[in-house]
Amino acid sequence: MSAVALVTGGAQGIGWATARRLVRDIAHMVVIDLDGAAAEARAEELGSGHLGVGADVTDAAQVRALVGRVMADFGRIDVLVNNAGIADQPGETLVQSGEAFERVLRVNLCGTFLVTQAVAGEMLARRQGAIVNLSSIAGLGGIPTRNAYSAAKAGILGMTRSMACEWARQGVRVNAIAPGYVRTSLVEELEERGTIDTAALEARIPMGRLADPTEIAEAIAFLTSPQASFITGSVLVADGGWSAL
Ligand code: NAI
């Protein structure tokens, strides 16, 4: 078992739950996060043979350096989970700041592109790899006043399908997951700012509750696994029934 997996934004929330889940089948986890100290601490928590690296997914030079280090240490990359993301500052479209809009796109969408571009060459050379991109129910339907986030997460779906088709005959699968609301600090911050009302959300969600990060990690693990060998370019919706209503 010498497989290597990278999880961006892996220091907390869904990314950390995913790293903890994937480590059952993966020899070397690489936890990447803007918060380098937290990423290193998480890698230590996982045990020996794992790596924690501080990097900003929006910085192409940092991303290239990080992938170079992983290749030098482990010599291969089998799985990439593009999880790093930020929520937007909700605002009515007419008064929204263009800079804030761009920032949300840069982290969620461009970051996913940059890390994939840096990693995929190695996967294509070995004709083997699985990539999972974090979209959202916000990418499936619109959320009023949150158009930057919706645009970024819908963009991820388009990019996922495009890359999946490009690499389908070369052994590299690319899929997206669209979670509904998940109990992480991202959602807690939205709650604190009054952007979302958890009780109202729970009333709207057919299952009547938010997801635990481990439930999203299980779905991601499936998409990266050999059991998903014929699945590429797809979107796995894990939303407690939100989008079925
Ligand atoms: P979180 O805020 O708990 O964790 C995100 C992690 O990404 C943090 O550790 C943060 O330091 C890191 N990060 C942020 N910007 C980065 C950058 N430029 N470079 C490297 N790392 C960076 O978020 P959560 O809730 O775990 O979300 C993870 C992903 O899942 C995001 O892409 C989010 O949009 C998506 N998602 C979350 C949902 C939720 O309800 N929590 C629902 C649907 C999608």
Side-chain angles (χ1 to χ4, degrees), residues 225-241:
S225 73
Q227 284 71 39
S229 57
F230 200 56
I231 302 178
T232 198
S234 74
V235 186
L236 180 49
V237 179
D239 66 355

Side-chain angles (χ1 to χ4, degrees), residues 122-134:
E122 191 281 326
M123 289 180 170
L124 292 164
R126 286 194 307 115
R127 301 184 72 81
Q128 185 191 314
I131 299 171
V132 178
N133 298 326
L134 267 288

Side-chain angles (χ1 to χ4, degrees), residues 8-16 32-35 38 54-59 62 82-87 103 106-108 111-112 133-138 146 149 153 156 177-190 210-211 213 216:
T8 70
Q12 63 179 40
I14 296 169
W16 173 231
I32 300 155
D33 205 281
L34 205 51
D35 184 342
D56 182 343
V57 296
T58 68
D59 183 324
Q62 284 186 33
N82 280 307
N83 166 80
I86 55 169
R103 175 81 194 138
R106 229 179 358 259
V107 177
N108 292 283
T112 296
N133 298 326
L134 267 288
S135 179
S136 163
I137 50 169
R146 297 196 57 198
Y149 191 71
K153 295 304 189 185
I156 283 175
I177 178 153
Y181 289 89
V182 187
R183 284 226 160 270
T184 68
S185 59
L186 183 145
V187 159
E188 279 159 18
E189 278 165 29
L190 291 172
L210 274 60
I216 308 305

Side-chain angles (χ1 to χ4, degrees), residues 85-93 96-108 136 138-139 141-154 181 185-196:
I86 55 169
D88 51 1
Q89 187 71 262
E92 295 194 9
T93 303
Q96 224 172 44
S97 129
E99 276 166 23
F101 185 93
E102 275 181 32
R103 175 81 194 138
V104 171
L105 259 77
R106 229 179 358 259
V107 177
N108 292 283
S136 163
I143 300 183
T145 76
R146 297 196 57 198
N147 59 39
Y149 191 71
S150 292
K153 295 304 189 185
Y181 289 89
S185 59
L186 183 145
V187 159
E188 279 159 18
E189 278 165 29
L190 291 172
E191 265 169 356
E192 279 161 23
R193 278 194 241 140
T195 306
I196 59 172

